[in-house]
Amino acid sequence: LLLPGIALVAQAPGCAREVFVLPAADQMLSMVCCGALAFLFNIAFCLAVVVASPLVTSVGCMLTVPASLGTDWLLHGDSVSPSAVLGGALVVAGFLVLVMK
């Protein structure tokens, strides 16, 4: 949706610092997949607000931080600091306290 506007701005005099080039096919596929996942997340977020509550939904979204920490550790072998593990554990504990209440 922004691509036509970006192309127009790139052609404006004095604004273009780079030559506008469309993304390659594999890059375009990645961009479409990323956009589709963001769209699905927004739909799921809206449904979660209706089904649960805004508070539980927003705190539940914070669970992505420890989930991404664990995923990076498992899939990429990234090192995890003790403070990151503690922070992730506190986020999970806070969510559990909120849900069990």
Side-chain angles (χ1 to χ4, degrees):
L1 204 56
L2 291 176
L3 199 55
I6 293 171
L8 288 174
V9 170
Q11 300 304 319
C15 293
R17 301 223 193 291
E18 297 180 15
V19 177
F20 178 76
V21 179
L22 284 173
D26 60 335
Q27 293 170 337
M28 188 64 82
L29 178 64
S30 296
M31 291 169 61
V32 168
C33 287
C34 184
L37 288 173
F39 180 72
L40 290 174
F41 172 79
N42 287 333
I43 290 173
F45 184 81
C46 291
L47 290 174
V49 167
V50 171
V51 171
S53 72
L55 178 64
V56 172
T57 303
S58 62
V59 174
C61 282
M62 283 190 278
L63 290 174
T64 58
V65 174
S68 66
L69 180 74
T71 303
D72 287 342
W73 176 71
L74 284 173
L75 296 180
H76 304 292
D78 292 349
S79 62
V80 180
S81 67
S83 60
V85 172
L86 177 64
L90 289 174
V91 169
V92 172
F95 180 75
L96 290 175
V97 166
L98 181 65
V99 171
M100 299 295 180
K101 189 176 178 183

